[in-house]
Each structure stands twice: as C-alpha cells, then as structure tokens.
Amino acid sequence: MSTDPPESDDVVERDPLIPWEETGLAQASEVQDTKLVERRAVLAKRLDDHPHPTAMSQKFGRLLNLLARFFFAHVLFERRSLDHIQEAEDRGTVVYLMRSLSLLDYLYFNWAFRTHGLPLAQFANGIRTIILRGFFSYIFSIFRSPSEPAEEVVQALVANDKAVFIFLERPKATANDNFEFSQKYLYRLVRAQRQQSVPIFVMPLLLVWEKRPDSKHPTILDDIFGTAQSPGFFRKVVYWFQTIWQSFVKFGQPTVLVSGGINLQEFLQEYPRAGSADASDMLREQVLDIIRREERVILGPTGEPTNDVWKDILARPALTKTIQALAAEEGLPEEKIVQRARAQFVEVAAEPSLLMIKIFSSVLSFVWYRIYDGFEVDEKGLERVREVAKHSNIVLVPSHKSHIDYLVLSYLFYRYGMTTPLIAAGANLSFWPMGHLFRWAGAFFIRRTFKGDALYPVVVREYVIRMLEQGYPLEFFIEGTRSRTGKLIKPRYGMLEMVLRAFVSGRLENVHIVPISVGYEKIIEGNSYEDEVLGGEKEKESLGGLLRAPRFLTSKYGRLYVEFNEPIDIGTYLDGYDVDRVNPEEVAFNTLTVRLAHRIIYDINEVTTVTPTALAATVLLNDQGGGITRKKLLCQTGFLIHFLSQPGRKVRLSRTVVDALEANQATIGALEALRAEGTQDSGKSSSTLRDDGMDLEEAIGDCTADLMDWALQLFIENNQVKVLADEDQAQIYNVPHDARLQLSYYRNNIVHHFVPEALLAAAIGSFKAGQMPLAELMDQTLFLSKLFKFEWIYEERAEFENVFLRTLSYFETAGWLTVSADEPRTVAISDPVPAELEFFRRLVLTFVEAYAIVFSLVGKDLDRVLEKKEITEGAIKQGRADYAKGEILFQESLSKPTYENALKLLEDWEVLERSSDESKKKESYRLSDAWREEGKYPELLKRLKAFVY
C-alpha cells in the first residue's frame, strides 16, 4: 500500500514505495495546492450564500415546521447521541454517514439538528431538498447549481469545516451499484483529511422506525416495498404514520443512535502506508460494522419459528445421546423419548413477539407512572451494557425482590432502544392465561428442581445455549426466588453453570454477565412477605391474584431504582483464577462457578441504591427507646449518609439524596474541614449520635429533612409509624410492634453496607470490660463472620485479617477506641462508650438473636430428632414468647428465612446431620456424634449468647 500525495489537478506518476515528501515533486505541487485551497474556499463561500440543492434547510416555513413537529417529535433522540455529535463539532468537522438512502430520514435529521443546535449538512448524495425552500428558490437553483462534480463539492465543504451527509446505499440496489453510489465521497474524505490538520469525525447514524429485524426469508412484498430495516418510500411512510399512533399509546417510539464516531485523523494513523482508495474501503467496512453492531443491540436476532428451534436442538449431540441412553435404559423406542423431549421443550420455550412487547410497554407505562413517583435509572451503566452487547452475549442477573422484577428490565430495554431479554421464570408462573402472554413477552419457564429426570435438564440447557447463540440477551435471577427479608439470598448455581459450560465448550465466543440491582422505595408484596417471614404459606400465583391487582393502582410506592455494576467478562474471570478456558478441570470449574455466583451477589449489593425509606427504617428500628425525636432522627440519618459517603466506599445514594447534598456542599465541606481539624488537635472525637449531636451530622440531616419527611409520611400512611408529641410538642416517631417486621425489609436493603463495622462492634460488645486483647477481639469478630456466612456475601479475595484491621483503624481514626502499640496489643474503648458502636452493633443484633433462638431450641434435647418445620415453627413460637418477656430486643428476630439459614449453618459446621424423606417431603435434623461430647454444644451456645446478653 502507498501513501497518496497532496491532491492537485495534475496526475503525477511516482514510485509508490517512496514517500511523497522525499520526492522532488512536493515543492512543485505547493503552488498548485495553494490555488486548489483557495478555489475550494471560494466554492464553500458560494455554497454558504446559495446552498446546494441537497443542503439541509436552515429554516422551515410555518406549515413545514408544523408538519415536522407532528411527524418527528415522538422520535427518541437520546442525550448521549446528541452529545456525541456536539463533541465531534467542538473538536473538528462533522460528516454524517447513514446506510440506506431515505428522503424522510434526511428530513427528520434536518429538523432534529435544527432543534438541537447541531451542524446542518450542506450536501447529501442522492437527495434534493431545494423544493422545500419554495418555488422561486427551486427555479433560481436551476441557474445557480454548482458546475463542480459532487465529490469536489464534498471536499470543498469539508475542507472549510462544513458538515456533509453521505448515504452509503440505495434501497434494493446491488452491491456494485451501492459502491459506485457512495465510495467516491469516502475517498474524498480520506484525501481531505490528509490535506488538513483539523480532524474529520465520521458519525454513523442509525434511525430505527420499526424494532423488527429483517426476515431470513424475504417475501414478495419485501422485494416490492423494501424490508423492515431497508424500506422503500411507501413502506417508510407507513412506518411513519404507524409510529405516531403507537407513540401516543406508549407502544414504543422510533430510536436514533449515533455512534461515538470515527476520528479520521486517528484512523489514518493506524494505516500509515494505506493509499486513499484502500483507506476509504476500510472506512466503509468499519462504518457498516458499527451500524450492524448498533442494529444488533436494538433489533436483536432474527426470530425463528419455535419448530425450527426445536429441530436444531433435537439434532444436537448432547440431546441425541441422552435420548439414546434413556431409550436403552427404559426399553422404549427412541421416538417415545423424542416425544417426551418435545413436550418438555414446549413446556419451556418462549415465543417472543414484538407486538406483545409493545402491548406490555403500553400497559406498564400506565401502571408505572401511576404507582411510582419515577424511575431512577443508572444510564451510564446501561450505556456500558449497550457497548458490551455490540460484540458479546450478555447475561443479565438482577436482584429478585418482587414479581415486578420480571417486567422492569424488559420494559427498560425496550424504552431505551435495546433488545429485550429472554427471561428465565419459574414454572409456577406459567398459569393460564398469563403464561401465554409471558411467553410472548420473552419468558421461558423452568421447574424449581430437575431431580429425577435425566432428560429435562438437557432440554433446558440446549434451549438456553441455542437462544444465546442466536443472539438474545438472557435474564435470570441467581437467588432463585424472591427475597422476603429485603436482604439478598445466597446464590443458586444451575443457570450460571449452563452459561459457563456453554462458554468453555466454545459454543459461545464472548459472554459478559451484568449484575443489576432493582430496588424499590416501597415493596408491593409487603404484607404477604410479613406473613411468609412469620411462617405463613406462600400464596400460589393465579389469575385471581392478578385480578386483585387494581387495588394497588390507587397506592403510591415511591421510586423504583435500577443500577448496573460493571459487566463481568467470563473469559477474563477464568484467566484471573488460572482456569483453562477450553478444557477446565471439573473441580476447578465447580469452584469457580460457586465463586462467581457469590461475586455476582456481592456486585449487586455494591450498587444497591440507598433510598430515603431505607435510611429512615434503619434509624427508626435502631432506636433503643420507645420513640425517637425528629432532631435525633435527622442527626442519625446524617451520620449514616456521612459514613456511606466516605472516600473509597462504593455506595450509590439515591439521586434525591445526592442532589440534596450537592445543594449544600459548601456548608458540608466547611464542617468536614472543621471536623478533621478538631480531631487532629484533640486526638479524639465526640459522639455524633447523642441528642446534642455534632454540627456536621446535623447539617447533613437537615439538608435531607424533606426526603426523610417524605419517607416517614409513606410509613405513616401505611400505619408503620406513629407520630407522637412530647411535653414540648416536639414530634416523636414510634414504630408499632406489629410494623417492625415490615420496616426491617427496607433496613435489610442496605445493611450489607455496614457489615464489617457491625461485626466488629458486636464483637466489642461481647467483652464486658472497656479493654480487651486485640487477638481475642479478632477471634470473636472472625467467629461472627463465619456465623453469618449464609447471611451476607463478603468481598471477593479479601482476607479477613485485612478487613478487620482496616475497620479497626477506621474506628480508631474516628476516636471511638485506641489500640496499644505494645505487645500483647490491646484495644481500649473510649469512655463513655461511643453511641456509634452501639448503633453499629444493633444492626446485626437481630440476626444474632434469631440464631440464638434456633441454637437454644436445638440444644434443649441433644438426643432428639427434629423436623425442619418443627424447628422453624418452634423458633417463631419461642421468639414471640421471648419478645413478650423482654428477653430479646427485636421483634424482627422472628424470621423463618433467618432460622432456615441458622439450620443451614449448623449443617455446614457439621453440628447437625440432615436426613430427608422424599415421599413425605420432610427434612429432619439430629446432633452429630462429634458434637455430642459433653459440654461441646453448650459451649457453642454460650459463646453465641455472649453477643446478645
């Protein structure tokens, strides 16, 4: 390849291997180049005064402007796309590129660019717009049309910093015709860039009127009127009118996507020896590749009939071998096993329909904005997902706290112009008639357990892999079921293992897993969750349950939050643990599956939004008295927000909280400086949680007072908080006993942010003296950390000792304790005992109490065999009695899910042995022989109770 010389009117032959600058021709061309630059400047100036017949209109007439508003206002032109163009204009010259020629699209962009103050194109190939400027302008243009070739016009405009618009293809034209139609302009862009220092930014544009991919089998109508994504004029007009009424009823809207653009200057630097012809060819391919990738994100794969998907799955070796093995084992013809597999496939498979997704979008738009005050969407995170989806399979893994979760991401992706995912839903949701609607919206249904059926898991696995291969995003809930406590549940591994095995087998080239937090200011299922936590039976999903839904349409549930963590590249993750991508050892693979599942839960927790209701519930439930004053509530809220806002903490406060802090940043910053100076001077810190408070926490609390009032009002309206008045008529907030469980749901949404501090504070509280050996304190904290292994996920690859010492150092810096430098090292607690330590301790005390109830129940008769149901029901009964007698502090310690985790822990520690009766669906526990030694189990129980009493 060769580097072309600066353009001149004369063709000069030279040795292509000698750079132009080293030949004797460079100086001879300088005069010609100067004349050429001047001539192009004159042409550009003339086109300023008398626009090219293809130029975008600077001004629409009244009628045209009215029509444009009517036809174009509903198109989604996102802020990020506008920013891409604005940034390109600020840095250089803008050139718009679009794949398929369309006068209607060009008119839309003319209107949109004018509306948003973006550079208007002064030229477009294959288009004439002069008639829009009026009859006389059209007549005059006949005599004023530039005599220069169109490609010379393009180069003159670009050389003088004027925007142009280039279409790459004509609808229904051949590849050769399309190349002839547009390649000469790309060639001139490359030549222009080599002759100027100002960069040219090529901006690929994509305007999708109908979010339907082209069919694999075009029809006669497609041949006549064009395809869905390359429509002819008449089909485009139909789309135009169709999208107007669809936008009106919230069926969706046309979407504009503008890529970040190609800096042509940098592009050419990557290929320094490429000639202009070669470079323009590569530019064309890169632009088309960008557009194809954008289309992949918006349109998704070309849908295939369900029967075609089945035929492909049936032909796969894994299913074929399983069918043959089962036929031999059961002594049946293979056709019988195939029929069984077919029935299971029908039971599982989704049947995604764009029409049903539009209907859901319309209905949900009405529902969302009736029951929620708004959506807070992490748009930067969503943009990261969009970028990854251009070149990789994406697997969405959201938290699961409500049935609403099934709908949120599909709605969000459709509204933001992305392919809606296929959703793994429980088979219990496949009830008539909603099951059919859910299938059409993208749900596929899987059983809770695969036990006892060797065929079913193979059918499910091959279906999931087939859909990923086809290009669908996949969504599943790694917790397996909804959290009834507000705290994320330990992960299940089935779906994740399917995805990982598909990757290591080479059937999927790239896979990224996206941890997502879906959070709620107020949960719709609050009352039913309370019943289930107290041991009530789960209500079965049914049509009747959905028909009762209109009752919640008259309620308000605050805001809904969707936050995205960084996508996890599966290949990179495998490499990080030295696991072979192609042929991993089975033990290493299983270990990595478990580790990755926990990492996903941790990442979801990390981006869970700290909401006003969660802050209010945490403060209200942590109060030690019968009620909390408004001043103290705001001060403690300020303490929590200040703690969560410390540098290095990856905590996402709700947008409303962030806005309140930013509006008072000057005051808060000044008080933080005073706090730091005072701490350095005195070497210790006063308590921030006493009634008098500290100025900093008070200031933070005061600036969020309106948000706390709003959250409290939400609780008051639901009889979860009572407002009393003291003798000075100051407001006091009290939580009724029967409402504590409901409020604990919202506190548990964020308690994971405080786990290291809460465990250390609880360990400190287990020592009766104000001074304790550091080694013993670390051992007590480690005991608690292991005790709650089924309650929280700890940071990946974080060593316990490092986390412990980091937390201890934070406590010492805050002035709540001191650590001696002499050996053996000791820890001394400040006098009086800081209220902050008690505040942190009480955050986990409810879980300690719950575990103590179960441990005590098991320890009443060490020789007795207990059924699981007997233990959980007995624990709830015992907890009620202990709470009534004042022997436990928190009613929220009555929690069936927490009791079940305590049993799981005792089994994991091999304290209990579990046996199952599959016929009666019962599980029983007995104390293991190793723990029957005299005094061993009572010693464990005594150690646990030391944290409570």
Side-chain angles (χ1 to χ4, degrees):
M1 292 186 293
S2 61
T3 302
D4 295 321
E7 187 184 50
S8 70
D9 292 333
D10 299 322
V11 178
V12 181
E13 297 294 335
R14 66 181 180 87
D15 185 343
L17 298 180
I18 302 176
W20 173 259
E21 292 79 4
E22 296 178 13
T23 69
L25 305 174
Q27 286 185 324
S29 68
E30 288 182 2
V31 176
Q32 292 176 333
D33 285 344
T34 301
K35 291 180 180 179
L36 189 62
V37 169
E38 291 175 353
R39 191 170 76 230
R40 287 176 177 162
V42 170
L43 176 56
K45 179 64 172 62
R46 178 152 52 88
L47 291 173
D48 266 347
D49 299 332
H50 305 290
H52 195 272
T54 66
M56 288 182 171
S57 177
Q58 298 283 346
K59 182 178 180 181
F60 284 8
R62 289 186 179 181
L63 178 61
L64 188 59
N65 197 53
L66 181 64
L67 291 173
R69 285 179 177 275
F70 179 74
F71 283 114
F72 299 144
H74 57 283
V75 178
L76 176 63
F77 203 144
E78 293 182 14
R79 182 72 255 172
R80 64 184 183 85
S81 292
L82 297 171
D83 290 343
H84 287 326
I85 298 175
Q86 187 63 63
E87 181 182 359
E89 182 191 20
D90 293 342
R91 296 175 57 193
T93 302
V94 176
V95 174
Y96 305 107
L97 262 71
M98 199 167 181
R99 183 170 60 189
S100 187
L101 176 68
S102 170
L103 174 61
L104 296 179
D105 288 359
Y106 188 68
L107 292 177
Y108 165 74
F109 282 115
N110 190 167
W111 177 82
F113 293 164
R114 282 183 60 253
T115 301
H116 296 291
L118 300 174
L120 301 179
Q122 303 301 306
F123 170 86
N125 58 323
I127 293 286
R128 289 184 67 84
T129 59
I130 189 64
I131 190 64
L132 300 178
R133 302 187 193 113
F135 176 75
F136 291 106
S137 295
Y138 175 72
I139 295 299
F140 292 152
S141 71
I142 297 174
F143 303 102
R144 293 175 179 168
S145 295
S147 57
E148 293 82 1
E151 56 268 33
E152 176 63 23
V153 171
V154 167
Q155 193 160 351
L157 290 170
V158 171
N160 289 276
D161 197 24
K162 307 293 183 183
V164 299
F165 201 112
I166 298 173
F167 293 100
L168 295 180
E169 301 172 356
R170 287 191 178 98
K172 299 185 291 185
T174 65
N176 288 336
D177 289 342
N178 286 329
F179 192 86
E180 179 72 21
F181 173 63
S182 58
Q183 194 62 19
K184 55 189 175 184
Y185 302 112
L186 300 186
Y187 177 82
R188 288 299 183 123
L189 291 181
V190 171
R191 298 293 293 263
Q193 182 63 85
R194 283 183 163 144
Q195 295 169 13
Q196 64 185 55
S197 58
V198 176
I200 297 171
F201 286 89
V202 176
M203 311 298 295
L205 305 180
L206 180 63
L207 174 52
V208 177
W209 291 98
E210 175 70 358
K211 296 174 184 176
R212 187 188 307 278
D214 287 338
S215 172
K216 287 185 176 180
H217 309 289
T219 64
I220 295 176
L221 291 178
D222 291 334
D223 293 335
I224 298 173
F225 298 107
T227 65
Q229 296 308 316
S230 295
F233 178 81
F234 291 106
R235 190 164 190 167
K236 182 64 69 67
V237 170
V238 171
Y239 282 168
W240 219 310
F241 282 100
Q242 172 183 299
T243 53
I244 292 172
W245 71 264
Q246 287 191 357
S247 297
F248 180 75
V249 295
K250 305 297 184 183
F251 260 39
Q253 58 192 135
T255 301
V256 172
L257 275 181
V258 181
S259 172
I262 301 171
N263 184 330
L264 198 51
Q265 195 174 66
E266 295 176 356
F267 176 83
L268 294 176
Q269 288 172 358
E270 294 180 16
Y271 309 99
R273 296 192 64 80
S276 294
D278 291 333
S280 62
D281 288 349
M282 290 186 289
L283 176 62
R284 183 189 193 90
E285 285 306 311
Q286 185 162 331
V287 169
L288 289 173
D289 183 60
I290 289 172
I291 293 174
R292 282 192 293 265
R293 289 179 184 274
E294 296 286 7
E295 284 183 331
R296 167 192 171 120
V297 175
I298 296 178
L299 304 175
T302 301
E304 292 182 293
T306 306
N307 196 49
D308 290 352
V309 176
W310 162 246
K311 289 178 181 178
D312 181 82
I313 291 175
L314 182 60
R316 298 194 169 203
L319 185 56
T320 301
K321 291 178 181 178
T322 303
I323 290 172
Q324 292 171 347
L326 284 175
E329 179 183 331
E330 298 180 16
L332 295 173
E334 289 187 14
E335 290 76 12
K336 290 289 185 182
I337 309 299
V338 169
Q339 290 175 7
R340 189 190 306 170
R342 169 70 176 176
Q344 292 177 351
F345 169 79
V346 171
E347 176 188 335
V348 170
E351 300 176 14
S353 161
L354 180 61
L355 175 60
M356 184 52 62
I357 291 170
K358 288 183 176 183
I359 292 173
F360 266 84
S361 172
S362 178
V363 173
L364 292 176
S365 292
F366 169 78
V367 172
W368 291 155
Y369 294 102
R370 188 172 182 85
I371 68 174
Y372 293 118
D373 292 328
F375 273 50
E376 283 194 18
V377 178
D378 173 17
E379 294 190 356
K380 290 183 179 179
L382 184 58
E383 180 60 24
R384 287 195 297 269
V385 175
R386 186 195 296 272
E387 289 300 314
V388 168
K390 292 177 183 179
H391 56 80
S392 173
N393 288 106
I394 58 170
V395 178
L396 311 173
V397 187
S399 57
H400 197 15
K401 297 178 179 177
S402 170
H403 275 316
I404 299 296
D405 300 335
Y406 287 105
L407 309 172
V408 170
L409 290 184
S410 293
Y411 174 81
L412 190 65
F413 272 45
Y414 182 68
R415 301 297 294 178
Y416 276 76
M418 299 174 66
T419 306
T420 55
L422 296 183
I423 309 164
N428 58 314
L429 290 176
S430 184
F431 57 89
W432 186 89
M434 298 306 298
H436 294 292
L437 301 181
F438 292 151
R439 286 184 198 276
W440 294 334
F444 65 96
F445 299 99
I446 54 177
R447 301 171 188 170
R448 293 287 182 190
T449 177
F450 295 175
K451 290 181 180 179
D453 192 335
L455 183 63
Y456 184 78
V458 180
V459 172
V460 173
R461 182 176 66 247
E462 293 304 316
Y463 173 77
V464 168
I465 294 173
R466 178 67 177 82
M467 293 296 99
L468 285 169
E469 288 173 344
Q470 198 171 335
Y472 282 104
L474 177 69
E475 176 185 346
F476 71 88
F477 301 100
I478 199 166
E479 299 167 85
T481 186
R482 290 168 291 153
S483 168
R484 271 68 174 177
T485 64
K487 182 175 58 63
L488 296 190
I489 301 170
K490 279 282 186 173
R492 297 184 181 181
Y493 312 119
M495 287 293 295
L496 180 63
E497 183 184 2
M498 288 183 195
V499 173
L500 290 177
R501 288 199 183 278
F503 177 80
V504 298
S505 68
R507 297 163 77 176
L508 300 175
E509 185 176 351
N510 291 303
V511 180
H512 283 73
I513 293 178
V514 187
I516 304 168
S517 170
V518 180
Y520 305 87
E521 205 92 59
K522 178 187 172 188
I523 202 77
I524 288 174
E525 299 97 332
N527 291 333
S528 65
Y529 282 178
E530 181 182 8
D531 293 339
E532 292 179 41
V533 166
L534 290 173
E537 293 298 322
K538 176 185 173 184
E539 184 177 349
K540 186 177 180 181
E541 286 77 9
S542 66
L543 179 59
L546 287 177
L547 292 177
R548 290 194 296 270
R551 292 186 300 183
F552 77 76
L553 293 180
T554 59
S555 303
K556 277 293 186 180
Y557 293 87
R559 294 174 181 81
L560 191 154
Y561 303 86
V562 183
E563 299 281 347
F564 299 86
N565 211 324
E566 292 286 343
I568 302 170
D569 185 331
I570 293 301
T572 303
Y573 193 82
L574 288 166
D575 293 343
Y577 285 98
D578 295 325
V579 176
D580 192 334
R581 289 193 184 198
V582 180
N583 189 27
E585 296 180 1
E586 191 65 18
V587 174
F589 178 85
N590 292 334
T591 301
L592 181 127
T593 301
V594 173
R595 183 171 284 153
L596 177 58
H598 286 76
R599 158 72 182 276
I600 292 169
I601 293 287
Y602 183 87
D603 283 2
I604 294 172
N605 267 334
E606 190 175 54
V607 296
T608 296
T609 306
V610 177
T611 67
T613 51
L615 291 168
T618 301
V619 173
L620 288 166
L621 293 179
N622 243 34
D623 183 63
Q624 301 183 45
I628 184 171
T629 65
R630 175 180 173 78
K631 178 181 178 181
K632 187 176 180 182
L633 182 142
L634 291 178
C635 183
Q636 293 192 4
T637 300
F639 166 74
L640 288 178
I641 294 174
H642 183 247
F643 171 84
L644 294 169
S645 303
Q646 295 296 305
R649 297 190 186 276
K650 298 179 180 180
V651 177
R652 299 196 182 184
L653 301 172
S654 76
R655 185 71 252 169
T656 52
V657 174
V658 171
D659 289 343
L661 296 177
E662 290 178 349
N664 297 270
Q665 188 55 49
T667 301
I668 293 173
L671 290 172
E672 283 180 328
L674 288 174
R675 166 72 61 80
E677 182 180 346
T679 302
Q680 291 172 357
D681 291 344
S682 64
K684 63 180 181 178
S685 171
S686 301
S687 172
T688 63
L689 294 184
R690 301 191 184 281
D691 286 332
D692 54 352
M694 285 291 288
D695 289 341
L696 176 58
E697 279 71 24
E698 283 184 340
I700 296 174
D702 286 344
C703 76
T704 58
D706 290 343
L707 298 177
M708 291 301 102
D709 288 341
W710 177 86
L712 289 167
Q713 188 60 36
L714 202 63
F715 293 150
I716 292 168
E717 291 174 356
N718 289 277
N719 299 316
Q720 295 164 327
V721 170
K722 301 291 184 183
V723 183
L724 309 174
D726 63 11
E727 55 196 24
D728 298 324
Q729 298 302 308
Q731 286 184 324
I732 296 178
Y733 301 103
N734 172 262
V735 181
H737 296 300
D738 58 359
R740 293 188 68 90
L741 264 175
Q742 292 185 31
L743 287 197
S744 70
Y745 184 95
Y746 304 104
R747 179 194 60 188
N748 288 344
N749 284 179
I750 64 171
V751 72
H752 57 271
H753 289 305
F754 309 99
V755 166
E757 292 75 20
L759 295 183
L760 177 55
I764 290 171
S766 68
F767 291 87
K768 306 308 177 185
Q771 186 165 318
M772 62 212 70
L774 176 61
E776 291 184 21
L777 178 60
M778 183 184 296
D779 184 60
Q780 283 288 76
T781 309
L782 178 60
F783 173 79
L784 285 175
S785 178
K786 292 179 177 179
L787 184 76
F788 294 132
K789 65 178 292 185
F790 292 108
E791 299 297 338
W792 295 289
I793 306 297
Y794 304 121
E795 184 179 357
E796 187 178 26
R797 285 183 164 175
E799 296 290 338
F800 166 77
E801 184 176 352
N802 293 336
V803 176
F804 171 82
L805 294 176
R806 182 178 66 203
T807 308
L808 189 70
S809 175
Y810 173 75
F811 281 12
E812 186 174 29
T813 302
W816 302 333
L817 52 78
T818 55
V819 182
S820 69
D822 300 330
E823 297 291 345
R825 302 182 70 185
T826 59
V827 176
I829 307 302
S830 302
D831 186 23
V833 175
E836 292 86 351
L837 295 185
E838 181 62 17
F839 188 93
F840 282 129
R841 172 178 173 265
R842 290 170 71 89
L843 287 174
V844 294
L845 195 53
T846 176
F847 297 96
V848 178
E849 288 185 341
Y851 276 54
I853 291 171
V854 173
F855 280 36
S856 297
L857 194 64
V858 170
K860 282 185 177 180
D861 187 349
L862 299 183
D863 296 321
R864 186 181 175 192
V865 176
L866 297 170
E867 291 184 5
K868 180 179 180 180
K869 185 176 181 180
E870 183 182 0
I871 296 174
T872 55
E873 290 181 350
I876 290 173
K877 183 178 179 180
Q878 184 64 50
R880 290 183 192 274
D882 290 347
Y883 183 71
K885 292 184 291 186
E887 294 182 2
I888 64 173
L889 298 176
F890 304 105
Q891 190 188 40
E892 52 269 33
S893 298
L894 281 63
S895 171
K896 180 181 176 182
T898 309
Y899 298 155
E900 290 175 341
N901 283 344
L903 281 175
K904 193 184 301 183
L905 178 84
L906 289 173
E907 183 183 356
D908 182 74
W909 283 0
E910 298 182 347
V911 176
L912 293 179
E913 295 175 346
R914 176 168 58 94
S915 59
S916 300
D917 186 340
E918 293 294 340
S919 62
K920 297 181 180 179
K921 296 183 179 180
K922 290 183 178 180
E923 294 180 338
S924 300
Y925 293 90
R926 65 180 295 275
L927 201 68
S928 65
D929 293 339
W931 281 82
R932 289 176 181 274
E933 298 177 13
E934 185 175 352
K936 190 172 183 180
Y937 187 82
E939 185 63 30
L940 173 64
L941 183 58
K942 179 181 178 181
R943 185 174 188 183
L944 176 59
K945 287 186 174 181
F947 295 98
V948 182
Y949 306 111

